[in-house]
Structure formats: C-alpha cells, structure tokens
Amino acid sequence: RLDAVKTLPTGGQTPRYLGFDPQGLLHVANEDSDEVSVFDISTPCTMAQPVQRLSTPSPVCLAFRTD
C-alpha cells in the first residue's frame, strides 16, 4: 500500500509519466517543458528540488535498464 507523504511541483510543465530507476531515484517526464526532472526521494528534505534535469524533446514515457 502506498500513502501520500507530500505533494511537490515536478519542476516542469505537463508531467506525463513517472518512474523509479534501479537506484531508487524518481524521474518525471515533463512533456511541454522538454525535460525529465530527477528527484532523490530518500528523505523528505531531498524531495523539494530536482537533483538533475535532463533535456529531451517532449518526453512522454520512461524506461530503465537494469543491466
């Protein structure tokens, strides 16, 4: 079961997809701002701002490699 802990801005416009990478970082695809925002969600303090922003045209889906 998942419970909401906090609501935060995604750091971009029109979030379309989110996913966790193998290291546990949260990635949010922001379609209209052409970027993926990456969040460290290990503690509530580190969730406030993206730790990285990846530029890519109109992201709508994410996939992660595990090898």
Side-chain angles (χ1 to χ4, degrees):
R1 176 181 161 169
L2 296 175
D3 292 318
V5 174
K6 194 172 195 178
T7 302
L8 298 169
T10 64
Q13 297 175 341
T14 317
R16 289 287 305 256
Y17 188 89
L18 61 87
F20 294 94
D21 71 13
Q23 290 76 37
L25 296 173
L26 173 65
H27 295 247
V28 180
N30 296 303
E31 182 180 16
D32 290 338
S33 55
D34 298 330
E35 69 179 11
V36 175
S37 298
V38 183
F39 295 87
D40 176 0
I41 62 163
S42 60
T43 69
C45 295
T46 60
M47 293 179 359
Q49 295 293 321
V51 295
Q52 186 176 15
R53 292 176 189 228
L54 308 168
S55 179
T56 186
S58 194
V60 294
C61 184
L62 300 168
F64 302 99
R65 293 176 65 164
T66 58
D67 57 344

